[in-house]
Amino acid sequence: MWDSRECWTGYPQQPLEPSIYVYYITQLSFYISLVITLPFDVKRKDQKMQIIHHVTTIFLISFSYCANYIRIGTLVMIIHKASDCFLQLAKMFHYLKRCKICDTFFIVFSVIFLFSRLVIFPNKVLYNTYYYSMELYQPFLGYYLMNGSLMILQLLHIYWSYLIICMLCRFFVCGTMPPAGGDSCDSSNLSRA
């Protein structure tokens, strides 16, 4: 298992690999584009949570880059992207009216989301930033800004996990995802998590 303390080895003079720079800029651009397009998107019941998520994510990406928390920032982004591809596949098959395939990908997404955001994120990232960093460095303003923002993300994870668990319970009771908007394929409330 990878030692999470390696995130702090050599800090603050950790080199920035070109591939990580491109990854950072790509992720930052993606979240900025989501904020720009929010007024034109379909309104969802968790829209306020999405706005909080996008603004917090933009802040964390920018701050981790500026404070050279590159290893922690990369770890956070990878953990968050682990489940996203399955959510996008579920949405794609929903739009194609392929309900069984959509439901399968949503279940896979749910398992990965719940594990990565309720187990890995708090145990590998939050513990690392709260405790391991304190073994090496005294807290400063950046410590509080970063950990406060990471805690906002964790609270959003808990909120979205509750919604996902409710959808899964409905799926296992009714045999399909809850309806939203009356579509023939009932997984349309696959919110951006």
Side-chain angles (χ1 to χ4, degrees), residues 44-45 94 106 167 177-180 186-192:
R44 296 190 173 117
K45 64 181 176 181
H94 163 72
F106 185 78
M167 289 177 71
M177 294 295 162
D186 292 338
S187 301
S188 62
N189 61 351
L190 300 175
S191 65
R192 168 89 181 87

Side-chain angles (χ1 to χ4, degrees), residues 23-186:
Y23 186 58
Y24 255 77
I25 295 301
T26 303
Q27 291 301 306
L28 182 60
S29 302
F30 173 71
Y31 283 103
I32 289 172
S33 75
L34 288 177
V35 169
I36 291 170
T37 60
L38 265 174
F40 311 106
D41 283 348
V42 174
K43 304 293 185 242
R44 296 190 173 117
K45 64 181 176 181
D46 70 340
Q47 184 175 19
K48 289 179 184 170
M49 299 302 171
Q50 287 181 345
I51 292 168
I52 293 168
H53 173 267
H54 298 341
V55 170
T56 303
T57 302
I58 289 168
F59 172 77
L60 276 170
I61 292 171
S62 302
F63 181 77
S64 68
Y65 180 81
C66 292
N68 207 23
Y69 288 144
I70 303 298
R71 292 179 185 169
I72 289 292
T74 304
L75 187 59
V76 170
M77 288 188 282
I78 289 171
I79 288 170
H80 282 77
K81 292 301 170 194
S83 62
D84 287 356
C85 61
F86 296 102
L87 177 62
Q88 298 309 319
L89 285 168
K91 287 180 181 181
M92 182 178 71
F93 283 106
H94 163 72
Y95 297 136
L96 293 172
K97 309 276 189 229
R98 305 297 301 252
C99 297
K100 296 281 186 203
I101 299 171
C102 171
D103 292 346
T104 301
F105 278 118
F106 185 78
I107 291 169
V108 171
F109 157 76
S110 300
V111 169
I112 295 171
F113 181 94
L114 295 170
F115 183 73
S116 65
R117 308 221 185 160
L118 297 181
V119 177
I120 295 174
F121 185 76
N123 289 309
K124 288 296 182 184
V125 174
L126 292 179
Y127 189 84
N128 188 335
T129 60
Y130 271 93
Y131 298 108
Y132 289 161
S133 65
M134 296 299 293
E135 291 177 2
L136 301 170
Y137 306 102
Q138 293 297 316
F140 67 105
L141 180 61
Y143 170 86
Y144 299 107
L145 289 173
M146 180 180 64
N147 284 309
S149 299
L150 290 172
M151 282 307 298
I152 290 170
L153 282 185
Q154 186 59 25
L155 291 172
L156 290 170
H157 296 162
I158 292 166
Y159 170 76
W160 279 319
S161 295
Y162 169 76
L163 295 179
I164 289 168
I165 290 168
C166 287
M167 289 177 71
L168 289 173
C169 288
R170 172 98 186 248
F171 172 75
F172 290 118
V173 169
C174 299
T176 188
M177 294 295 162
D183 261 348
S184 62
C185 188
D186 292 338

